[in-house]
Amino acid sequence: TEAAETACPRDGLRPGGAAKRWDARSPLSLAAAVIFLVTRAPRASRAPSAAEVAAVAGVTEHTLKLAARDMHPDLVEIVPSWWATPAELAAVEAPH
């Protein structure tokens, strides 16, 4: 929830007001991308595949991966530090 709120603030306002590459994407795609990326961190008990997350979210795997690629460069900002350190997040690969 914390990562999703950071990636997509409910009020639409980010600190500094900067737009992000994923802002025009659908909320379902963004939620799926956040879940997919957060579960790549070492603390996650399971890392579901992109296909699994996409199926549950009701988006295509391709759409999920595109949104996740857009978010990937900002993982350190999106993922709470209590969940993963910057070093752990640096090891998370962008989806192919």
Side-chain angles (χ1 to χ4, degrees):
T1 301
E2 215 174 307
E5 179 65 26
T6 301
C8 309
R10 290 178 201 189
D11 61 8
L13 303 174
R14 286 193 182 83
K20 296 294 185 178
R21 291 173 298 287
W22 60 84
D23 282 344
R25 295 195 176 277
S26 82
L28 285 176
S29 299
L30 298 176
V34 167
I35 291 167
F36 179 73
L37 290 169
V38 167
T39 59
R40 304 290 135 224
R43 293 186 195 191
S45 60
R46 182 174 177 273
S49 69
E52 290 174 305
V53 175
V56 171
V59 299
T60 68
E61 184 177 352
H62 179 73
T63 297
L64 162 71
K65 287 181 176 181
L66 289 175
R69 278 186 217 142
D70 284 348
M71 288 182 176
H72 187 267
D74 296 302
L75 273 181
V76 172
E77 295 172 26
I78 294 170
V79 178
S81 59
W82 59 263
W83 180 252
T85 66
E88 291 170 329
L89 293 172
V92 173
E93 293 183 27
H96 310 315

